[in-house]
Amino acid sequence: MAGLEIVGTPPEERFDRITRMARLMFRAPIATITIFDGDTAWFKSADGFDGRQAPLSPVFCSTTADTGERLIVENAAEDRRFRNLPGVTGKAHVRFYAGEPLVDTHGEVVGSFCIYDDRPRAFRPDELELFQELAAWAQAELIERTDLARAKEVQEALLPGRTPHMPGYELAATCTPSFNVGGDYYDWARTDYGTALGVADVMGKGSAAAIMGATVRAALRTASELTERDRDGRYRLDKVMSGLARIVTGDLLRTNIFVTVFLAHLDESTGRVDFADAGHGFCLVVAPDGGFRRISGTDLPLGIEPRGSWSQGSFTLAPSETMLIFSDGLFDLFGGADDSLRHIALLATEHPDPNDLVDTIAGLATAATSVDDVTAIVVRRQP
């Protein structure tokens, strides 16, 4: 039952509006969305009641949990099954109870939608229909929330799990979706002579963007494996980008979605960074004194044209400099104007440790309730 992964989570308006509406429509003192967690009845939403949880037995909900069937008690004081319950004999003075089981996608009863009244009453047919509709709404919200939570787990699992060892460099990253899931992602991989890095930003937010983001991630890895290297063994990121485009452009055009991508490869022995930029444009190299330069290309995002070409550039990351590759969500956090880049560079100067910097960025994104996904990769070359 705890598989809903909702027990202990804070209140959410999507559930509170249902219980609030139920109280108003039925003129009842209490309405709850209750989750069964072992021997505990945990209230995801409780309008008219301040508690967060109660023992599952003895309460009305325990019958719903055991039978998996709707339970309507018109006068609990006269019902021998419930007349001795503390809620009936005590201060709450419960007389009327209506409980509808809530089930998960496997048909298992995981909770109940409940209405309590301190006076005996009976549902008219239209009231019973309305009660069932509200319960169905609550169940749909629970299932959707569970699906989104699982999707978030999967998306987080697709991010690189281990930071590669880069002698002479420090590396960290963050990805904070605006919703449970999002269209941003980052990736990295060790190569024979350094580290490959990438940030992609799918137009849009939510589940649709997340699906396409996973598609682009898989396609990029495939394109990287299939792209031939130069005679000196180096990757040509322009060719990797072209290979990626060949794989995903058809899907992007059919779904009217485009993706910006910034690929980089760092040669750790020299500090040389090769890059290819498909309409992304958000890479900064920040000096210790706060001075910065913006690294960007002029090529189009993926999904704009059926056929496109991408170029490769290069620059050097000098000792003590920091490279940030980020999505436009970070840019927008600072106002979305050219001056935003200066603020981002200042943030990097104030937080020279990459792990501290990405933690700060994630905190800003969460506190601001960002309307866009916020992703950043930070690489600092040690002095």
Side-chain angles (χ1 to χ4, degrees), residues 315-326:
F315 61 91
T316 298
L317 185 66
S320 299
E321 287 188 329
T322 298
M323 175 176 67
L324 291 90
I325 308 170
F326 53 94

Side-chain angles (χ1 to χ4, degrees), residues 14 26 28 30 102 114 116 144 173 196 229 232 278 330 348 363 366 372:
R14 64 194 298 178
F26 292 103
I30 298 174
L102 304 176
C114 310
Y116 301 83
E144 180 182 4
R229 303 189 191 187
D232 59 2
L330 178 59
T366 302
D372 201 358

Side-chain angles (χ1 to χ4, degrees), residues 43-186:
F43 304 113
K44 177 57 183 173
S45 178
D47 198 278
F49 178 69
D50 294 331
R52 293 288 286 166
Q53 64 184 44
L56 186 55
S57 180
V59 292
F60 292 95
C61 290
S62 61
T63 302
T64 306
D66 292 339
T67 65
E69 297 178 353
R70 181 187 310 125
L71 174 64
I72 297 180
V73 181
E74 296 183 352
N75 188 349
E78 297 180 355
D79 192 319
R80 66 175 184 270
R81 296 173 298 172
F82 307 108
R83 62 191 178 194
N84 294 320
L85 290 181
V88 178
T89 60
K91 184 178 179 181
H93 197 260
V94 175
R95 291 297 177 264
F96 174 84
Y97 169 83
E100 184 78 16
L102 304 176
V103 302
D104 61 14
T105 54
H106 304 291
E108 180 183 0
V109 177
V110 294
S112 61
F113 174 65
C114 310
I115 293 175
Y116 301 83
D117 205 335
D118 56 7
R119 56 190 172 89
R121 62 186 294 180
F123 271 162
R124 301 188 308 269
D126 61 318
E127 289 179 317
L128 178 59
E129 182 178 357
L130 177 59
F131 174 71
Q132 291 175 277
E133 289 291 334
L134 290 174
W137 182 10
Q139 179 171 295
E141 291 287 0
L142 283 172
I143 291 175
E144 180 182 4
R145 191 191 186 284
T146 303
D147 288 344
L148 287 174
R150 178 57 181 153
K152 182 178 182 179
E153 285 183 4
V154 172
Q155 187 172 52
E156 290 176 347
L158 291 176
L159 295 173
R162 179 179 298 178
T163 303
H165 177 61
M166 301 168 61
Y169 298 82
E170 299 166 85
L171 170 66
T174 183
C175 183
T176 305
S178 57
F179 299 125
N180 286 64
V181 293
D184 281 9
Y185 84 89
Y186 67 86

Side-chain angles (χ1 to χ4, degrees), residues 6-12 15-16 32-35 37 40-47 49-55:
I6 197 172
V7 173
T9 58
E12 297 178 58
F15 299 106
D16 290 343
T32 70
I33 295 173
T34 306
I35 305 300
D37 181 29
T40 302
W42 186 82
F43 304 113
K44 177 57 183 173
S45 178
D47 198 278
F49 178 69
D50 294 331
R52 293 288 286 166
Q53 64 184 44

Side-chain angles (χ1 to χ4, degrees), residues 232-253:
D232 59 2
R234 291 181 176 273
Y235 282 101
R236 288 291 306 184
L237 297 183
D238 52 347
K239 294 182 179 179
V240 173
M241 193 76 80
S242 296
L244 171 61
R246 284 194 298 272
I247 298 172
V248 301
T249 294
D251 291 336
L252 294 173
L253 291 173

Side-chain angles (χ1 to χ4, degrees), residues 317-347:
L317 185 66
S320 299
E321 287 188 329
T322 298
M323 175 176 67
L324 291 90
I325 308 170
F326 53 94
S327 64
D328 59 358
L330 178 59
F331 185 67
D332 293 339
L333 277 181
F334 289 91
D338 287 344
D339 194 46
S340 301
L341 298 178
R342 182 177 62 82
H343 289 296
I344 294 171
L346 179 61
L347 193 70

